[in-house]
Amino acid sequence: MLSFQSSKNVLSLTEDLLVRIYELLAAESDRKSFRLVCREFRRIDSLTRRHLRVIRIEFLPILLRKYPRLQSLDLSACPRIDDGVVSLLLTRVGPGSNSPSLGHWAWGLKSLVLSRATGLRFSGLEMLTRACPCLESVDVSYCCGFGDREAAALSSAVGLRELNMDKCLQLTDVGLAKIAVGCSKLEKLSLKWCMEITDLGIDLLCKKCVDLKYLDVSYLKVTNESLHSIASLLKLEVLGLMACPLIDDVGLQFIERGCPSLKVIDVSRCEGVSSSGLIYVVRGHRNLLELNAGYCLSLSTALLHQMKNLNHLEVIRIDGARISETSFQVISANCKSLVEIGLSKCVGVTNMGIMRLVSACINLRVLNLTCCHSITDTAISAIAYSCRSLVCLKLESCNMITEKGLCQLGSFCLLLEEIDLTDCCGVNDKGLEYLSRCSELSCLKLGLCTNISNKGLSYIGSNCLKIHELDLYRCTGIGDDGLEALSNGCKKLRKLNLSYCNAVSDRGLAYIGRLEELSDLEMRALHKITGVGLEAVAVGCKKLADLDMKHCEKVGDSGFWALAYYSKNLRQINLSYCGISDMALCMVMGNLSRLQEAKLVHLSNSTVEGVELALRACCARIKKVKLFAPLRFMLSSEILEILHARGCIIRWD
């Protein structure tokens, strides 16, 4: 508590100085502490805040009235937003407003995130674009029902520079034409999974939006004709073509002669693309920074010869390719600027090849060796010694790695932030002791590492205090004592997987309840836990957003009642094969106002009537639900029609 004199001195600071102090606070926790000091500090926060991500839609009117100078608004976590809500927000902002005037919050808004807002339609979008004259960026990705009318509404945002329409499944060339004509200033556009888009729409887009710097048409059935159109974009820097089945080497010839500013290209999983097509790209763009060509080629001698000219290449991903030691030698000799290499599931990766690669690529920060089964401690030692700046290393299913390799990583790679050791059966407690020297670790994946125990986890809990993601899937040697050590040290943990860790009991979940930052918890098939353990998690982990407790049969209704009462931030839940009753199910589905996705398969203690009541309780906001297949014929047609009408996706198991 501030003393009277020090409080008086602080409050004597001018508004300009307080604003400058506030802007120096980078962490949200610090800004929260700032605005809790006094009314004046709270007023400075209101005047200065530019970005807002809303979690509870019921608080949205109050927040928009409180922060009138917003530039960025993220509503992706509000599943219930629809045209009516938008109309309300643009007329009356918050309770107590007597005059229906346009919401001032919209006037300066530049960025709007509406991802997965399936309840919104063209009239709501039209109101938003007209009310936000400064709008420059809009994200409507995964709004699967969006089509040409919604695109027409967005086209009125004439100042739009960035637009994400991934998986807007109803969008056709007609809607894309509206955007191309209305939003001619577009610089960034993503159209992944917009399956109705054809060459015609891409051609018009390229003619009208000549300032495009970023274009992603991944998973579209466009042909080489689209690449001919794209090649005319003089400012294009990033081109995404992942899994486009109808493009081939002929199309990439157009790219060789066009797109003079191209720096990043992704042709991974393009079945028609071979080394010959990549040669065209490489030959025409010697300033290329990033090349993604996974699962579509084998490295030919001719392509390697062309790669000698890529002096500035920083990222190369050739996952699934067949590669030789000679290839590694050529890459290391000529691509000395590499900071990331993706070799996942490559055939021909050996210790000698890796040693040749890292001997010259000393600036590597990310290395993916997933499923490179021939790798041993020899290669890991070479990586550790040469790549001291490494921050991410993926070694899933590299079964011959032991504590010796981890000792080298713990000795030399002290900047390591992420390591994936999933299914590395050679990893043991001693290896984790060595690895715990990497105090910067934030993501550690140990799934299927059956030789680690509570002792190994205690090393991580004592030394790796920055960890925010930990995967212990099927680590059967981990129990309550290990979780105690983890909860004492890893206070920043946000994502934890304990599935099939059979030794964990209610005592272990009580320790998990101390992790206040935890937002994602997987705890499948923990047969020793009951409602007591679940209650401890619900009470302690207030930020919990994703919970998977499939096959937790011994959890009783008391745990589910606690979940319904305390876990208000839950967005996804898996209750399949749980013994939840009708009443508890209705409480969970009805009380969790942010719930968007639920898996409710084989609920042994629930009846058809109970499931239907639960679905009625959440039908206004649920986006996706998975149900037991026979219920398709037992649930009333009325509830199924209501869910369908509200855009809910029903999957049957």
Side-chain angles (χ1 to χ4, degrees):
M1 181 69 69
L2 288 172
S3 67
F4 174 78
Q5 186 61 42
S6 60
S7 176
K8 182 178 179 182
N9 291 336
V10 169
L11 294 177
S12 66
L13 295 174
T14 64
E15 182 177 291
D16 289 345
L17 285 174
L18 288 173
V19 168
R20 290 177 65 181
I21 292 171
Y22 180 87
E23 290 175 343
L24 290 173
L25 302 176
E28 177 57 31
S29 58
D30 292 336
R31 294 194 171 197
K32 181 178 181 180
S33 299
F34 178 92
R35 59 179 174 263
L36 291 175
V37 171
C38 61
R39 289 184 179 179
E40 179 62 12
F41 281 24
R42 188 162 66 247
R43 188 181 71 84
I44 294 298
D45 172 67
S46 297
L47 291 174
T48 312
R49 181 181 283 260
R50 297 290 182 265
H51 310 287
L52 180 65
R53 183 175 187 269
V54 181
I55 296 177
R56 303 277 292 275
I57 193 172
E58 55 266 34
F59 298 130
L60 187 53
I62 297 172
L63 290 170
L64 292 179
R65 185 174 58 176
K66 183 178 180 181
Y67 302 115
R69 300 184 183 181
L70 290 177
Q71 294 181 356
S72 173
L73 179 61
D74 186 345
L75 299 176
S76 59
C78 298
R80 289 182 291 164
I81 190 164
D82 55 25
D83 296 350
V85 172
V86 169
S87 178
L88 174 67
L89 296 176
L90 292 175
T91 53
R92 298 180 183 274
V93 183
S97 177
N98 295 318
S99 58
S101 58
L102 184 68
H104 293 282
W105 62 270
W107 294 354
L109 202 67
K110 294 183 178 181
S111 174
L112 183 58
V113 180
L114 297 166
S115 179
R116 302 182 188 276
T118 53
L120 198 61
R121 284 295 182 264
F122 72 94
S123 61
L125 283 176
E126 191 172 47
M127 284 187 283
L128 281 170
T129 52
R130 288 181 177 177
C132 304
C134 299
L135 208 56
E136 296 179 357
S137 175
V138 174
D139 183 349
V140 291
S141 58
Y142 297 92
C143 294
C144 300
F146 277 22
D148 295 339
R149 297 184 76 182
E150 286 74 23
L154 289 170
S155 69
S156 61
V158 294
L160 209 59
R161 297 184 183 276
E162 297 184 7
L163 178 59
N164 187 343
M165 297 194 74
D166 292 349
K167 221 163 189 177
C168 291
L169 299 179
Q170 306 302 316
L171 181 68
T172 72
D173 292 335
V174 175
L176 186 57
K178 292 280 189 181
I179 290 171
V181 173
C183 307
S184 59
K185 296 180 181 179
L186 268 181
E187 296 179 1
K188 183 176 181 179
L189 178 62
S190 188
L191 297 167
K192 287 188 290 188
W193 294 290
C194 296
M195 305 301 292
E196 300 299 318
I197 299 296
T198 70
D199 295 334
L200 184 64
I202 298 298
D203 182 57
L204 181 60
L205 175 73
C206 295
K207 288 177 179 176
K208 295 295 183 180
C209 299
V210 296
D211 292 329
L212 275 174
K213 296 180 180 179
Y214 178 108
L215 178 61
D216 196 336
V217 293
S218 297
Y219 303 96
L220 270 60
K221 294 180 180 179
V222 294
T223 71
N224 293 333
E225 287 301 314
S226 284
L227 292 189
H228 184 269
S229 303
I230 291 170
S232 67
L233 295 171
L234 302 180
K235 298 181 181 180
L236 192 69
E237 297 178 0
V238 180
L239 176 59
L241 299 168
M242 180 187 290
C244 290
L246 302 182
I247 68 168
D248 55 29
D249 297 340
V250 175
L252 292 182
Q253 269 188 295
F254 297 125
I255 301 299
E256 176 190 8
R257 298 188 293 269
C259 301
S261 302
L262 193 66
K263 295 179 181 178
V264 178
I265 186 168
D266 187 346
V267 292
S268 53
R269 300 188 184 276
C270 289
E271 300 170 358
V273 172
S274 69
S275 290
S276 300
L278 267 294
I279 289 173
Y280 297 134
V281 175
V282 171
R283 194 164 58 196
H285 302 89
R286 296 191 176 186
N287 291 322
L288 206 64
L289 297 179
E290 184 174 325
L291 175 62
N292 300 320
Y295 304 103
C296 70
L297 59 90
S298 295
L299 289 180
S300 66
T301 304
L303 177 57
L304 287 171
H305 178 75
Q306 290 296 328
M307 287 180 66
K308 292 180 180 180
N309 299 316
L310 297 179
N311 298 323
H312 304 288
L313 192 68
E314 295 180 354
V315 178
I316 181 170
R317 301 188 186 99
I318 49 175
D319 304 329
R322 182 173 294 277
I323 194 167
S324 66
E325 291 180 10
T326 306
S327 303
F328 285 120
Q329 192 169 4
V330 173
I331 293 172
S332 64
N334 299 286
C335 303
K336 298 183 184 297
S337 299
L338 283 173
V339 295
E340 178 178 347
I341 300 178
L343 300 169
S344 173
K345 299 182 180 179
C346 282
V347 178
V349 178
T350 63
N351 285 340
M352 184 57 68
I354 294 298
M355 291 166 69
R356 288 179 175 178
L357 177 69
V358 301
S359 62
C361 299
I362 59 175
N363 296 316
L364 274 183
R365 292 174 59 81
V366 180
L367 179 58
N368 188 348
L369 296 173
T370 298
C371 294
C372 293
H373 302 294
S374 299
I375 293 299
T376 70
D377 292 329
T378 302
I380 301 303
S381 297
I383 293 168
Y385 184 77
S386 298
C387 307
R388 307 291 178 92
S389 300
L390 202 67
V391 296
C392 177
L393 180 59
K394 298 184 178 182
L395 299 169
E396 180 180 348
S397 296
C398 295
N399 296 310
M400 289 190 279
I401 293 170
T402 70
E403 64 188 62
K404 295 179 181 179
L406 298 184
C407 178
Q408 296 300 306
L409 290 173
S411 299
F412 297 109
C413 296
L414 300 181
L415 300 178
L416 199 62
E417 297 177 7
E418 177 180 351
I419 185 166
D420 188 347
L421 296 168
T422 303
D423 200 19
C424 292
C425 55
V427 175
N428 57 19
D429 290 340
K430 194 65 177 178
L432 292 187
E433 182 181 7
Y434 293 134
L435 195 61
S436 69
R437 298 172 187 167
C438 302
S439 58
E440 297 297 316
L441 267 183
S442 60
C443 178
L444 176 60
K445 297 184 179 181
L446 298 168
L448 297 167
C449 292
T450 53
N451 291 320
I452 65 172
S453 69
N454 293 328
K455 183 178 180 181
L457 197 57
S458 68
Y459 295 127
I460 300 300
S462 299
N463 301 310
C464 302
L465 308 185
K466 296 184 179 180
I467 281 193
H468 61 71
E469 179 177 351
L470 180 62
D471 187 350
L472 299 171
Y473 175 80
R474 289 190 185 274
C475 292
T476 52
I478 297 298
D480 297 337
D481 292 338
L483 296 182
E484 180 181 16
L486 192 70
S487 66
N488 288 335
C490 302
K491 298 295 186 181
K492 296 182 179 180
L493 201 62
R494 297 198 297 267
K495 186 173 183 179
L496 178 62
N497 189 345
L498 294 174
S499 294
Y500 303 97
C501 295
N502 300 320
V504 174
S505 70
D506 287 339
R507 182 166 69 90
L509 288 194
Y511 296 131
I512 296 303
R514 298 176 183 176
L515 300 171
E516 296 180 358
E517 298 297 316
L518 196 68
S519 61
D520 189 329
L521 177 61
E522 292 188 47
M523 42 183 265
R524 291 189 179 192
L526 300 188
H527 299 303
K528 291 184 178 181
I529 69 166
T530 67
V532 175
L534 183 58
E535 184 175 353
V537 170
V539 172
C541 305
K542 295 293 179 59
K543 294 185 179 181
L544 198 63
D546 193 338
L547 177 63
D548 188 339
M549 48 183 298
K550 183 178 180 180
H551 279 297
C552 291
E553 292 97 343
K554 291 186 179 179
V555 175
D557 278 359
S558 63
F560 295 116
W561 283 100
L563 204 65
Y565 185 78
Y566 293 106
S567 298
K568 297 296 186 180
N569 289 318
L570 267 178
R571 291 197 298 270
Q572 298 183 49
I573 192 168
N574 188 350
L575 298 176
S576 298
Y577 297 90
C578 287
I580 188 171
S581 70
D582 286 347
M583 186 168 292
L585 181 63
C586 289
M587 283 297 298
V588 168
M589 301 299 288
N591 273 26
L592 300 180
S593 58
R594 289 191 60 209
L595 197 64
Q596 299 180 28
E597 181 176 345
K599 296 178 180 178
L600 308 172
V601 178
H602 286 285
L603 305 181
S604 56
N605 291 340
S606 297
T607 65
V608 175
E609 292 77 12
V611 172
E612 177 150 345
L613 284 173
L615 292 174
R616 289 183 182 276
C618 67
C619 64
R621 59 183 179 276
I622 199 79
K623 292 183 177 181
K624 187 184 294 185
V625 63
K626 189 174 184 180
L627 300 170
F628 189 37
L631 289 178
R632 185 199 299 260
F633 309 104
M634 300 179 186
L635 293 171
S636 69
S637 58
E638 180 189 1
I639 186 59
L640 296 178
E641 289 171 3
I642 291 173
L643 290 170
H644 179 73
R646 293 183 178 273
C648 177
I649 299 172
I650 305 177
R651 300 192 185 281
W652 305 95
D653 189 315

